[in-house]
Amino acid sequence: QKEVEQNSGPLSVPEGAIASLNCTYSDRGSQSFFWYRQYSGKSPELIMFIYSNGDKEDGRFTAQLNKASQYVSLLIRDSQPSDSATYLCAVGVRAGGTSYGKLTFGQGTILTVHP
Amino acid sequence: KAGVTQTPRYLIKTRGQQVTLSCSPISGHRSVSWYQQTPGQGLQFLFEYFSETQRNKGNFPGRFSGRQFSNSRSEMNVSTLELGDSALYLCASSLDAGPFHNEQFFGPGTRLTVL
């Protein structure tokens, strides 16, 4: 089982719709969860982070965390063509004996928002 | 506040050569993490440096090494380059060590091509 898995894409939504991106993780001890957006040819950009169960909203973005189900999601409301990118889920996982851990990424979901 | 900078942005090397990449973190950030991104393997953690000490290391061969200086700038070195080392190398800067309750911000990356 992969440490971090994202729903397979690509995901295509019409402009103005809600885009829903999902991610599951295997380490029950994970405490920190991040969503990055990566445009083609660019580096990842941090758009949301969440550390506690529940919802966290920032503008058109909502991150949802359910530690019991080991599930984190990102909702993008009123999707725009400029939201078309690859979205990477990243989870802070413990790393063999060290207290520092590491950030582990999913494979990413390609989102296309069409006009 | 200036972001993370990486130099050089592009490199072309031949098999067997070695290469050194540089990363300057955001001012005030003391941790630098390095990642390799390829289409097949996605984003993979190489290592993290904090206060000039390697805090964690990913599953990469010993040809991949790094260091951090007292001003938090970091370098990574890849010796005896192989074709499979062609990738985008990203560094990420954060205030503290580890991924727990600690956001990482990526630089623009160095695109390495090995011929």
Side-chain angles (χ1 to χ4, degrees), chain A residues 32 36 38 43 51 100-101 103, chain B residues 37 55-56 99 101 103-104 107:
Chain A
S32 301
Y36 287 84
Q38 186 172 25
S43 63
Y51 303 143
Y100 293 102
L103 205 55
Chain B
Q37 187 175 34
R55 300 292 177 163
N56 204 350
H101 294 232
E103 298 86 53
Q104 295 186 14

Side-chain angles (χ1 to χ4, degrees), chain A residues 55-95:
Chain A
D55 294 0
K56 179 182 178 183
E57 187 175 316
D58 183 1
R60 296 186 296 111
F61 298 100
T62 299
Q64 299 174 315
L65 174 60
N66 183 326
K67 290 186 180 179
S69 300
Q70 294 175 245
Y71 176 92
V72 59
S73 65
L74 178 70
L75 299 178
I76 306 174
R77 290 182 300 281
D78 188 24
S79 295
Q80 301 297 309
S82 59
D83 295 325
S84 298
T86 297
Y87 288 80
L88 298 163
C89 171
V91 177
V93 300
R94 292 166 295 189

Side-chain angles (χ1 to χ4, degrees), chain B residues 56-77:
Chain B
N56 204 350
K57 188 177 189 306
N59 295 324
F60 280 82
R63 300 185 297 108
F64 292 81
S65 63
R67 60 177 175 169
Q68 187 180 35
F69 303 96
S70 59
N71 62 357
S72 295
R73 189 177 70 85
S74 177
E75 289 181 346
M76 70 163 276
N77 183 275

